[in-house]
Amino acid sequence: MADPRTRRLRLWSSAGIVGAVLCAVLLVPPLVQLDEQAVDLSLKLLPPSPEHPFGTDDVGRDLLLRCVYGLRISLLVGLVAALVATVIGTAVGAAVASLGGWTDRLVMRIVDAFSSVPHLLLGIFIVAMFRPGVWPVIVSVALTHWLSTARIVRSEVLSLRSRPYVDAAISGGASRWRVAVRHLLPAVLPQAGLAAVLMVPHAMWHESALSFLGLGLPSHQASLGNLVQSARSSLLAGDWWPTLFPGLLLIVPTLAIAGLAGVWRDRLNPRRRSELML
């Protein structure tokens, strides 16, 4: 079991990083009235300096501003995709567990079949049917990430169905729909919320992978995956900063979000804390 001071340090450090990221993506674009697409070839591939803390890219654009805009897009995709996937997974998991019987078996076999295919391959198949943009990526990530949430919610609902208060409600004549809405769904919402938070960094990584492969956002639009993809030639030439800083802004916030989710998970399951540490 982790030391309480270690857990407290992880909580505050993760919260501080997430807070700094949110302040950056919300305040920097309106306060800094600069065009992140502005090209100045005279400033091409300048190393980090006080004027350009992250340096400049291969066409002279300020890399710090580009990274903030890219993180903004990646967070938007992660949050919206995680929310949509959680809603779908919660609805499906609660419905099949409440209905039971052949409906439960059929739907879960379908879930197992889709879960056997790697998420990235399914995501590539979905985004390939649309023009590059934010919403196709959100749809792709959401439709490939609700499966695990459906499993979690289903298992929670199945365990709740054997509780005395649920038996009492059924004995009192409550319908399956009323039992599910009144008793089962409120009890699984904390687990569903935790699944949504854990899904945000996963969705951000999938968006970055799709953009890196050229299947996500348009190449001119800043996202962390696009920034890393466009910096490959610079890295081969020995210019490390166009790759390092977008990569750090992808890794550090996702680890911070996972750290907050880990603290939440510990509080939901205090007796299994040692098993649930990240």
Side-chain angles (χ1 to χ4, degrees):
M1 185 179 297
D3 184 82
R5 285 183 295 182
T6 303
R7 292 198 303 273
R8 198 157 43 242
L9 176 63
R10 183 174 65 165
L11 171 63
W12 286 110
S13 59
S14 299
I17 293 172
V18 172
V21 166
L22 291 177
C23 288
V25 299
L26 293 176
L27 299 179
V28 168
L31 292 179
V32 180
Q33 298 297 323
L34 295 176
D35 184 7
E36 51 97 14
Q37 298 283 7
V39 173
D40 187 350
L41 294 178
S42 65
L43 302 176
K44 175 182 177 181
L45 289 174
L46 293 179
S49 65
E51 294 79 13
H52 302 283
F54 285 8
T56 60
D57 64 7
D58 56 352
V59 292
R61 293 173 295 194
D62 183 77
L63 197 57
L64 173 58
L65 194 59
R66 294 275 291 170
C67 285
V68 170
Y69 274 90
L71 183 58
R72 194 182 194 187
I73 293 294
S74 297
L75 273 176
L76 171 67
V77 172
L79 290 170
V80 177
L83 178 61
V84 174
T86 301
V87 170
I88 296 173
T90 302
V92 172
V96 298
S98 299
L99 294 173
W102 65 269
T103 304
D104 183 20
R105 293 192 294 271
L106 175 62
V107 173
M108 294 314 297
R109 294 300 76 75
I110 294 174
V111 169
D112 291 339
F114 278 101
S115 297
S116 64
V117 182
H119 289 170
L120 188 57
L121 290 180
L122 281 177
I124 290 173
F125 175 76
I126 294 173
V127 297
M129 297 187 294
F130 302 94
R131 296 179 62 183
V134 173
W135 289 107
V137 175
I138 290 175
V139 171
S140 168
V141 175
L143 292 182
T144 56
H145 285 70
W146 63 269
L147 306 169
S148 59
T149 304
R151 279 208 189 95
I152 293 170
V153 172
R154 174 182 175 269
S155 64
E156 288 293 321
V157 171
L158 288 177
S159 66
L160 290 170
R161 284 176 57 184
S162 61
R163 301 289 175 86
Y165 67 90
V166 175
D167 291 336
I170 295 174
S171 301
S175 64
R176 288 184 176 181
W177 172 256
R178 182 173 178 80
V179 170
V181 173
R182 187 72 179 270
H183 299 288
L184 300 180
L185 271 180
V188 302
L189 283 181
Q191 293 289 349
L194 175 60
V197 175
L198 286 170
M199 204 180 300
V200 171
H202 199 192
M204 292 175 62
W205 278 95
H206 270 257
E207 178 276 322
S208 298
L210 291 172
S211 297
F212 182 82
L213 295 172
L215 298 170
L217 275 67
S219 58
H220 69 274
Q221 189 169 5
S223 78
L224 296 179
N226 278 343
L227 292 177
V228 174
Q229 196 277 339
S230 63
R232 290 186 302 168
S233 58
S234 302
L235 182 63
L236 294 175
D239 301 317
W240 48 268
W241 55 93
T243 304
L244 174 66
F245 292 114
L248 286 177
L249 283 184
L250 178 62
I251 294 171
V252 174
T254 54
L255 288 178
I257 294 172
L260 289 178
V263 174
W264 186 359
R265 188 163 56 179
D266 288 348
R267 298 199 175 190
L268 282 179
N269 303 276
R271 295 181 181 178
R272 299 172 56 206
R273 187 171 291 159
S274 62
E275 302 174 16
L276 297 173
M277 292 297 294
L278 291 178

Short mmCIF file of all heavy atoms in Angstrom, two decimals, residues 17 21 71 201 204-205 208 224 228 243-259:
data_model
loop_
_atom_site.label_atom_id
_atom_site.label_comp_id
_atom_site.label_asym_id
_atom_site.label_seq_id
_atom_site.Cartn_x
_atom_site.Cartn_y
_atom_site.Cartn_z
N ILE A 17 -0.50 20.05 -12.62
CA ILE A 17 -0.21 19.95 -14.06
C ILE A 17 -1.48 20.10 -14.87
O ILE A 17 -1.52 20.84 -15.87
CB ILE A 17 0.47 18.60 -14.36
CG1 ILE A 17 1.86 18.56 -13.72
CG2 ILE A 17 0.57 18.38 -15.87
CD1 ILE A 17 2.54 17.21 -13.81
N VAL A 21 -2.31 23.09 -17.52
CA VAL A 21 -2.67 22.79 -18.91
C VAL A 21 -3.99 23.46 -19.27
O VAL A 21 -4.13 24.07 -20.35
CB VAL A 21 -2.76 21.26 -19.11
CG1 VAL A 21 -3.46 20.92 -20.42
CG2 VAL A 21 -1.36 20.66 -19.10
N LEU A 71 -2.37 21.11 -28.22
CA LEU A 71 -2.88 20.50 -27.00
C LEU A 71 -4.36 20.82 -26.82
O LEU A 71 -5.13 19.98 -26.32
CB LEU A 71 -2.07 21.01 -25.81
CG LEU A 71 -2.42 20.44 -24.43
CD1 LEU A 71 -2.27 18.93 -24.42
CD2 LEU A 71 -1.54 21.07 -23.36
N PRO A 201 -6.91 10.30 -21.58
CA PRO A 201 -5.55 10.16 -22.13
C PRO A 201 -5.46 9.12 -23.22
O PRO A 201 -4.71 9.30 -24.19
CB PRO A 201 -4.70 9.77 -20.90
CG PRO A 201 -5.66 9.28 -19.88
CD PRO A 201 -6.94 10.01 -20.13
N MET A 204 -6.66 10.76 -26.33
CA MET A 204 -5.67 11.71 -26.82
C MET A 204 -4.55 11.00 -27.57
O MET A 204 -4.09 11.47 -28.63
CB MET A 204 -5.10 12.53 -25.66
CG MET A 204 -6.08 13.49 -25.03
SD MET A 204 -5.41 14.33 -23.56
CE MET A 204 -4.02 15.23 -24.28
N TRP A 205 -4.12 9.86 -27.06
CA TRP A 205 -3.07 9.10 -27.74
C TRP A 205 -3.56 8.56 -29.08
O TRP A 205 -2.82 8.54 -30.06
CB TRP A 205 -2.58 7.96 -26.84
CG TRP A 205 -1.57 8.41 -25.84
CD1 TRP A 205 -1.80 8.79 -24.55
CD2 TRP A 205 -0.17 8.55 -26.04
NE1 TRP A 205 -0.63 9.15 -23.94
CE2 TRP A 205 0.39 9.01 -24.82
CE3 TRP A 205 0.68 8.33 -27.13
CZ2 TRP A 205 1.75 9.26 -24.67
CZ3 TRP A 205 2.04 8.57 -26.98
CH2 TRP A 205 2.56 9.03 -25.75
N SER A 208 -3.61 11.39 -31.57
CA SER A 208 -2.26 11.70 -32.00
C SER A 208 -1.73 10.63 -32.96
O SER A 208 -1.04 10.96 -33.95
CB SER A 208 -1.34 11.81 -30.78
OG SER A 208 -1.75 12.87 -29.94
N LEU A 224 -1.16 17.66 -31.58
CA LEU A 224 0.12 17.12 -31.12
C LEU A 224 0.63 16.05 -32.07
O LEU A 224 1.84 15.96 -32.34
CB LEU A 224 -0.03 16.58 -29.71
CG LEU A 224 -0.37 17.64 -28.65
CD1 LEU A 224 -0.52 17.01 -27.28
CD2 LEU A 224 0.69 18.74 -28.61
N VAL A 228 4.25 16.31 -34.19
CA VAL A 228 5.30 15.29 -34.15
C VAL A 228 5.57 14.74 -35.55
O VAL A 228 6.73 14.52 -35.94
CB VAL A 228 4.90 14.16 -33.18
CG1 VAL A 228 5.91 13.01 -33.24
CG2 VAL A 228 4.80 14.68 -31.75
N THR A 243 10.36 18.05 -32.09
CA THR A 243 9.80 16.75 -31.69
C THR A 243 9.64 16.63 -30.19
O THR A 243 8.64 16.09 -29.70
CB THR A 243 10.70 15.61 -32.19
OG1 THR A 243 10.87 15.72 -33.60
CG2 THR A 243 10.08 14.25 -31.87
N LEU A 244 10.60 17.16 -29.44
CA LEU A 244 10.60 16.98 -27.99
C LEU A 244 9.41 17.64 -27.31
O LEU A 244 8.69 17.00 -26.53
CB LEU A 244 11.90 17.53 -27.40
CG LEU A 244 11.99 17.53 -25.86
CD1 LEU A 244 12.00 16.11 -25.33
CD2 LEU A 244 13.22 18.29 -25.38
N PHE A 245 9.15 18.90 -27.59
CA PHE A 245 8.14 19.64 -26.84
C PHE A 245 6.71 19.16 -27.14
O PHE A 245 5.92 19.00 -26.20
CB PHE A 245 8.30 21.14 -27.09
CG PHE A 245 9.56 21.70 -26.49
CD1 PHE A 245 10.57 22.19 -27.29
CD2 PHE A 245 9.74 21.71 -25.12
CE1 PHE A 245 11.74 22.70 -26.75
CE2 PHE A 245 10.91 22.21 -24.55
CZ PHE A 245 11.92 22.71 -25.38
N PRO A 246 6.32 18.91 -28.39
CA PRO A 246 4.99 18.31 -28.59
C PRO A 246 4.86 16.94 -27.92
O PRO A 246 3.79 16.61 -27.38
CB PRO A 246 4.86 18.19 -30.11
CG PRO A 246 5.80 19.21 -30.65
CD PRO A 246 6.95 19.25 -29.68
N GLY A 247 5.95 16.15 -27.94
CA GLY A 247 5.90 14.85 -27.27
C GLY A 247 5.72 14.98 -25.77
O GLY A 247 4.93 14.25 -25.16
N LEU A 248 6.42 15.95 -25.16
CA LEU A 248 6.26 16.17 -23.73
C LEU A 248 4.85 16.65 -23.38
O LEU A 248 4.28 16.24 -22.37
CB LEU A 248 7.30 17.19 -23.23
CG LEU A 248 8.74 16.70 -23.12
CD1 LEU A 248 9.64 17.85 -22.68
CD2 LEU A 248 8.86 15.54 -22.15
N LEU A 249 4.29 17.52 -24.22
CA LEU A 249 2.95 18.01 -23.96
C LEU A 249 1.89 16.95 -24.20
O LEU A 249 0.73 17.14 -23.80
CB LEU A 249 2.65 19.24 -24.83
CG LEU A 249 3.28 20.54 -24.35
CD1 LEU A 249 2.84 21.69 -25.24
CD2 LEU A 249 2.92 20.85 -22.90
N LEU A 250 2.25 15.87 -24.84
CA LEU A 250 1.34 14.73 -24.94
C LEU A 250 1.51 13.79 -23.75
O LEU A 250 0.52 13.32 -23.17
CB LEU A 250 1.59 13.98 -26.25
CG LEU A 250 0.75 12.72 -26.49
CD1 LEU A 250 -0.73 13.06 -26.55
CD2 LEU A 250 1.20 12.03 -27.78
N ILE A 251 2.74 13.54 -23.35
CA ILE A 251 3.02 12.56 -22.30
C ILE A 251 2.66 13.09 -20.91
O ILE A 251 1.96 12.44 -20.14
CB ILE A 251 4.51 12.14 -22.35
CG1 ILE A 251 4.81 11.39 -23.64
CG2 ILE A 251 4.86 11.27 -21.13
CD1 ILE A 251 6.28 11.13 -23.86
N VAL A 252 3.13 14.31 -20.58
CA VAL A 252 2.98 14.82 -19.21
C VAL A 252 1.51 15.03 -18.83
O VAL A 252 1.08 14.56 -17.76
CB VAL A 252 3.81 16.10 -19.02
CG1 VAL A 252 3.53 16.72 -17.65
CG2 VAL A 252 5.29 15.80 -19.17
N PRO A 253 0.69 15.71 -19.65
CA PRO A 253 -0.73 15.86 -19.24
C PRO A 253 -1.48 14.54 -19.14
O PRO A 253 -2.32 14.38 -18.25
CB PRO A 253 -1.32 16.76 -20.34
CG PRO A 253 -0.16 17.48 -20.91
CD PRO A 253 0.97 16.52 -20.85
N THR A 254 -1.20 13.59 -20.04
CA THR A 254 -1.90 12.31 -19.96
C THR A 254 -1.50 11.55 -18.69
O THR A 254 -2.35 10.90 -18.06
CB THR A 254 -1.63 11.46 -21.20
OG1 THR A 254 -0.21 11.32 -21.40
CG2 THR A 254 -2.23 12.09 -22.44
N LEU A 255 -0.23 11.63 -18.29
CA LEU A 255 0.17 11.00 -17.04
C LEU A 255 -0.48 11.69 -15.85
O LEU A 255 -0.86 11.04 -14.86
CB LEU A 255 1.69 11.03 -16.90
CG LEU A 255 2.49 10.11 -17.82
CD1 LEU A 255 3.99 10.30 -17.60
CD2 LEU A 255 2.11 8.65 -17.59
N ALA A 256 -0.63 13.02 -15.91
CA ALA A 256 -1.28 13.75 -14.82
C ALA A 256 -2.75 13.36 -14.70
O ALA A 256 -3.26 13.16 -13.59
CB ALA A 256 -1.13 15.25 -15.04
N ILE A 257 -3.44 13.26 -15.84
CA ILE A 257 -4.85 12.85 -15.80
C ILE A 257 -4.96 11.43 -15.25
O ILE A 257 -5.85 11.13 -14.45
CB ILE A 257 -5.47 12.95 -17.21
CG1 ILE A 257 -5.51 14.41 -17.67
CG2 ILE A 257 -6.88 12.37 -17.23
CD1 ILE A 257 -5.92 14.58 -19.12
N ALA A 258 -4.06 10.56 -15.68
CA ALA A 258 -4.07 9.19 -15.15
C ALA A 258 -3.79 9.18 -13.65
O ALA A 258 -4.34 8.36 -12.91
CB ALA A 258 -3.04 8.33 -15.89
N GLY A 259 -2.93 10.10 -13.18
CA GLY A 259 -2.66 10.18 -11.74
C GLY A 259 -3.89 10.59 -10.95
O GLY A 259 -4.18 10.02 -9.89
#
